[in-house]
Amino acid sequence: MKFKRAHYLILMCITVALGLLSRKVAFIPLFIGDSLYAFMIYWVCRFIFFHRSFNFCYVTTLVFCFLIEFLQLVQHPLLISARSHPLLRLLFGQGFLWSDLLAYIAGAFFAVLLERSVHSGPKK
């Protein structure tokens, strides 16, 4: 199956819904939400960089996620203000955690695996 841009848009929406749900259900560990964040960023990269390689989008996803995570160490008034808004808090996070970096690596890795498995599926 060959993905189209619309497929990535649908996958982004599904991933956002799953990520929001993961924050509402108490028994789901927090790292699942962070992994889904990386999934979502990967789908955004695939949507924007449609003709680029899986590896390019994997690396771009990690750079973006790591940048956002390390920005949480910066306590500039503008960033503090942005983090107080509920939607921006979801995008920028609240505090730096090393474990989040591992969750981003795992999430992006599994997104690539999922996409590769779909692309290498049975040919008609």
Side-chain angles (χ1 to χ4, degrees):
M1 174 181 172
K2 182 137 171 83
F3 273 30
K4 298 178 179 163
R5 282 188 195 258
H7 291 126
Y8 295 114
L9 193 59
I10 291 166
L11 287 167
M12 279 186 264
C13 293
I14 291 169
T15 306
V16 167
L18 289 173
L20 292 173
L21 181 64
S22 77
R23 295 295 188 209
K24 299 292 182 197
V25 179
F27 66 84
I28 296 177
L30 290 177
F31 75 87
I32 298 296
D34 296 321
S35 296
L36 287 169
Y37 181 80
F39 254 86
M40 191 256 321
I41 297 300
Y42 179 78
W43 302 135
V44 169
C45 286
R46 293 298 290 160
F47 180 81
I48 294 170
F49 304 113
F50 186 68
H51 296 291
R52 300 297 299 257
S53 71
F54 300 132
N55 292 337
F56 174 85
C57 288
Y58 175 74
V59 170
T60 302
T61 297
L62 290 182
V63 167
F64 181 85
C65 290
F66 278 41
L67 178 66
I68 292 295
E69 191 66 24
F70 282 106
L71 270 175
Q72 293 173 19
L73 294 171
V74 178
Q75 297 303 314
H76 188 275
L78 180 64
L79 290 173
I80 293 170
S81 173
R83 290 182 197 119
S84 68
H85 187 277
L87 289 176
L88 293 177
R89 186 180 315 124
L90 288 172
L91 178 65
F92 294 122
Q94 296 176 8
F96 178 85
L97 291 172
W98 288 104
S99 60
D100 287 354
L101 301 177
L102 297 174
Y104 298 147
I105 292 168
F109 178 75
F110 285 114
V112 172
L113 282 182
L114 175 67
E115 188 173 17
R116 283 187 183 202
S117 70
V118 169
H119 280 287
S120 68
K123 308 276 188 219
K124 290 186 179 182

